[in-house]
Amino acid sequence: MKKEYLSTEYEPALNDRLRTGTAPSEKSVAPVPAAGSELERIRHSIGQEPFCPDGSKRAEYLAYITERGAEHSCVFLLLVSLAAGFAGALFAVPGCFVNTGAVASFRYFTLAVFAPFLEEVLKQSGMLWLLEKRPWLVRYSKQFFLSAFFGGLTFAVLENLIYYYVYLAVLPQERRLQVIAFRWAACTTLHVCCTLISSLGLRRAWKSQYAAGKPFEIQNALPFFVIAVTVHGAYNLCAVLFLERLFR
């Protein structure tokens, strides 16, 4: 028994059986497989073995998502990217209504920080879900840009329709058309560009994932999300302080 507990055979960092929770006195009992999907099992093994010398677990993760990804055609993956962009645009729509319940004293904070943050993150929610839950469906860099362009464009269209039929409905028709024409040009460009910026961050994190053989980590994409939110917030602030005067 002393040998069993002192031997390197029972060192957790070197023994898969111990990481499943099997004690030395239970050698005859088969280890219980980790709960959840195969992907979650592999992720769990990587998390439990951060210092694996041969990188076998990370190689297993890459082999798993590569093998599963090879089952799908390029066209199918591009369609999945479009669906992810569309889903993200729908999830981001509530951001259009943030200002309606905002207290006047917090209006500038809402416009410059909270609403841009909410919209930019939610517009990428479809791709974030794929990278986290279905990483084998993301195989090409072009998927990030396709999803971002379609998602940003879809959100801009939905937001402009909401503004035209809800927020601008009380304006005289001539002024209403002037405002919405400006929005179709400026705001559509803004949303597409900001979503493309954040997609650069997701692509960076995705490439790091493959290089290190580890699951997706959002922190590698955060600098680009900060840039997207800053650009969006700066536009909103300028719109309130200066652009609104053009249509009075």
Side-chain angles (χ1 to χ4, degrees):
M1 180 62 68
K2 180 178 180 181
K3 177 183 177 181
E4 291 180 344
Y5 280 98
L6 297 180
S7 172
T8 57
E9 178 184 356
Y10 300 101
E11 172 59 42
L14 303 176
N15 194 311
D16 286 333
R17 177 173 55 78
L18 289 185
R19 284 191 295 276
T20 62
T22 305
S25 60
E26 300 173 339
K27 290 187 293 183
S28 60
V29 181
V32 179
S37 65
E38 181 71 7
L39 178 64
E40 294 303 321
R41 183 191 68 79
I42 298 173
R43 280 179 170 169
H44 178 73
S45 67
I46 293 175
Q48 293 294 98
E49 191 175 10
F51 305 109
C52 179
D54 60 1
S56 59
K57 296 299 181 182
R58 297 180 181 183
E60 181 183 1
Y61 174 78
L62 286 180
Y64 176 75
I65 62 176
T66 300
E67 181 181 356
R68 292 209 59 176
E71 300 173 0
H72 307 288
S73 67
C74 178
V75 174
F76 175 79
L77 296 178
L78 294 179
L79 290 176
V80 168
S81 303
L82 290 175
F86 182 75
L90 293 181
F91 280 115
V93 166
C96 302
F97 300 97
V98 168
N99 294 328
T100 58
V103 180
S105 57
F106 291 100
R107 186 188 181 203
Y108 293 110
F109 173 81
T110 302
L111 286 170
V113 180
F114 183 70
F117 171 80
L118 184 66
E119 291 179 7
E120 295 308 325
V121 172
L122 291 179
K123 280 191 289 183
Q124 292 288 9
S125 58
M127 283 302 295
L128 286 170
W129 186 86
L130 287 180
L131 290 167
E132 179 67 25
K133 299 298 184 181
R134 298 293 186 272
W136 57 85
L137 294 179
V138 184
R139 293 179 59 197
Y140 307 105
S141 294
K142 66 183 75 173
Q143 289 182 255
F144 293 96
F145 305 124
L146 181 62
S147 176
F149 179 83
F150 187 68
L153 182 62
T154 301
F155 176 79
V157 170
L158 294 174
E159 185 185 54
N160 288 335
L161 291 176
I162 291 172
Y163 267 79
Y164 185 78
Y165 289 105
V166 179
Y167 294 128
L168 305 178
V170 297
L171 297 180
Q173 185 64 14
E174 182 179 357
R175 185 185 173 199
R176 185 184 184 192
L177 292 175
Q178 289 177 342
V179 174
I180 203 62
F182 175 83
R183 288 193 57 84
W184 278 112
C187 295
T188 301
T189 302
L190 171 75
H191 285 300
V192 171
C193 289
C194 287
T195 314
L196 286 172
I197 291 172
S198 61
S199 72
L200 291 173
L202 293 181
R203 178 178 175 271
R204 177 192 184 188
W206 171 73
K207 293 184 71 174
S208 298
Q209 163 191 333
Y210 271 88
K214 298 188 297 183
F216 174 77
E217 296 178 343
I218 185 62
Q219 60 263 33
N220 293 321
L222 289 181
F224 290 87
F225 275 88
V226 171
I227 295 173
V229 171
T230 301
V231 172
H232 192 161
Y235 168 83
N236 283 357
L237 200 57
C238 288
V240 173
L241 297 177
F242 307 109
L243 295 180
E244 286 185 351
R245 300 176 183 178
L246 298 176
F247 303 103
R248 289 180 179 175

